[in-house]
Amino acid sequence: MKKLFCLSLIIMLVSCKENKSEKNIAEAFEEKEIKTDLYGSYVGDFIVLERDTTRTQKENYTNKINIIIKKITESKVIGQNVVAGNNRPLTGKMTITGNTVHFILKEPGDDKNDGVFDFEIKNDTLLVGTWTANSSKKEVTKRKFELIRKEFKYDPDLMLSEGEMYIDYVNPKKQKIAIEIEDEENEEGNTEENTDGKGEYTEDTYRIASPAVYTLNSSTQKLKESDVKNLKKIDLEILRNTIFARHGLTFKTKTVRQFFDRVNWYIPISSDVNDKLTLTEKQNVVLLKRFEKYAEDNYDTFGR
């Protein structure tokens, strides 16, 4: 028994030594990271450059995008892009010519919306370039971007801008407007009478949020029923989604993106932030969703 124990101990020590040697070899061959000063998030507008105009327009002209540089070595760059509800890994290479740092990073290619990012980073803070879709059959095949380096940090006190108008342009409602029609003269100069003197025309109307969306803080204030019972549906939707915007959720729906993509502090960082919500925020989400089911909206005319 004693001999067996000694033998097992020897085998274990030899095995540990071999594993340690293998680890040391792997570490020796692991490439050194370079240009680490370029790591971080670069945020801005993702703008259409080439679109198939023969098709119905479905994709937004502009979305907010976050390109994240995570690791750079001599042979490989690892990154990520977050835009319009998508969160895609990026891999590729970096080349340096003089003062120009050039990247070509590719999305995996297993999604119909994947493509290739070709960009330069200038002065360590400005990222400029284009994205080209892998598929030529997409509605939008090319976009451009000029992104500013920004660090994401959760701040529960962030609010929508006071005085701004938050209008749902994505979901207009047709409304018939009644008008009175006066009698008109025909080509012969004779007056043609309108039988009933009435007519109508159709006009687009829109949901418009109230000041509640920038006066109520749904992250720091535990909302009561009395706070929300008289709010419009659009108010409740925006208050609820402001919670997720503060945590950097990338929104899939155009309806929500139209409100937050233009907000300066909003940085899309993740496609799932549920585990980041505070207790107060979770309670407010439940309350707001409950009232959204029964809330209504009024529509009004408003030019773009």
Side-chain angles (χ1 to χ4, degrees):
M1 179 66 76
K2 188 175 180 181
K3 290 182 179 180
L4 182 61
F5 173 77
C6 292
L7 181 61
S8 299
L9 185 61
I10 292 170
I11 293 172
M12 187 169 64
L13 290 172
V14 171
S15 177
C16 290
K17 187 175 182 180
E18 289 178 350
N19 291 337
K20 189 174 182 180
S21 298
E22 290 174 0
K23 183 179 179 181
N24 289 339
I25 293 171
E27 288 176 350
F29 280 98
E30 186 175 348
E31 285 190 285
K32 182 181 178 181
E33 293 185 41
I34 58 174
K35 300 296 289 183
T36 57
D37 55 310
L38 298 181
Y39 291 5
S41 291
Y42 298 80
V43 184
D45 293 330
F46 198 40
I47 302 170
V48 169
L49 199 56
E50 294 179 6
R51 183 198 295 274
D52 182 351
T53 56
T54 65
R55 297 161 61 177
T56 302
Q57 183 174 323
K58 293 183 178 179
E59 295 191 43
N60 283 359
Y61 173 73
T62 180
N63 293 311
K64 181 169 278 191
I65 188 171
N66 180 9
I67 293 179
I68 307 165
I69 305 298
K70 295 182 173 181
K71 185 176 182 179
I72 304 173
T73 67
E74 290 287 351
S75 65
K76 192 172 185 178
V77 177
I78 297 174
Q80 176 185 2
N81 85 85
V82 186
V83 60
N86 293 314
N87 189 340
R88 304 294 287 163
L90 298 171
T91 55
K93 291 187 177 182
M94 176 195 72
T95 56
I96 301 176
T97 305
N99 295 324
T100 302
V101 185
H102 181 224
F103 293 80
I104 295 181
L105 302 183
K106 299 179 180 180
E107 294 173 294
D110 55 359
D111 186 280
K112 64 180 180 179
N113 296 311
D114 281 357
V116 179
F117 288 87
D118 187 331
F119 59 86
E120 295 176 358
I121 295 181
K122 302 178 180 180
N123 301 321
D124 297 346
T125 59
L126 186 66
L127 189 151
V128 181
T130 60
W131 169 88
T132 304
N134 291 340
S135 172
S136 59
K137 296 180 180 180
K138 274 183 60 63
E139 176 198 336
V140 174
T141 53
K142 197 165 189 176
R143 289 182 180 266
K144 64 179 180 178
F145 47 86
E146 186 171 305
L147 314 180
I148 300 296
R149 190 170 184 174
K150 289 185 177 182
E151 179 185 357
F152 171 80
K153 184 179 180 181
Y154 167 68
D155 183 350
D157 293 316
L158 292 171
M159 298 289 286
L160 297 184
S161 298
E162 185 174 350
E164 288 253 2
M165 295 192 74
Y166 294 89
I167 303 167
D168 181 8
Y169 286 118
V170 174
N171 304 291
K173 185 177 181 180
K174 299 290 184 182
Q175 182 173 328
K176 291 183 178 180
I177 309 295
I179 58 173
E180 292 186 3
I181 301 177
E182 297 180 356
D183 296 338
E184 297 180 355
E185 288 188 357
N186 59 24
E187 292 180 358
E188 288 75 29
N190 298 320
T191 301
E192 293 184 349
E193 292 186 6
N194 186 284
T195 56
D196 58 6
K198 296 180 180 180
E200 65 179 23
Y201 69 95
T202 302
E203 187 174 49
D204 283 341
T205 59
Y206 305 91
R207 303 190 303 159
I208 303 176
S210 75
V213 299
Y214 51 78
T215 57
L216 289 176
N217 188 322
S218 47
S219 285
T220 61
Q221 175 184 350
K222 186 176 179 181
L223 301 175
K224 303 185 293 291
E225 291 190 3
S226 58
D227 295 321
V228 301
K229 66 179 182 180
N230 294 320
L231 296 183
K232 295 181 286 188
K233 189 178 182 72
I234 187 174
D235 297 334
L236 299 167
E237 291 172 355
I238 293 176
L239 285 170
R240 176 170 57 84
N241 283 298
T242 303
I243 292 172
F244 294 99
R246 292 184 182 106
H247 286 279
L249 179 69
T250 176
F251 297 106
K252 289 184 177 293
T253 64
K254 293 180 183 179
T255 301
V256 181
R257 290 206 304 274
Q258 70 181 325
F259 301 129
F260 295 101
D261 275 4
R262 60 195 175 103
V263 176
N264 185 57
W265 53 257
Y266 170 59
I267 299 177
I269 198 79
S270 175
S271 53
D272 184 3
V273 298
N274 287 323
D275 62 337
K276 306 293 184 183
L277 268 57
T278 67
L279 179 59
T280 296
E281 289 173 329
K282 289 177 181 177
Q283 291 172 338
N284 284 340
V285 166
V286 172
L287 177 68
L288 292 164
K289 287 184 74 173
R290 177 157 61 88
F291 275 81
E292 279 177 50
K293 290 181 181 180
Y294 308 103
E296 297 181 354
D297 279 309
N298 60 300
Y299 287 74
D300 201 354
T301 57
F302 194 86
R304 284 182 178 274

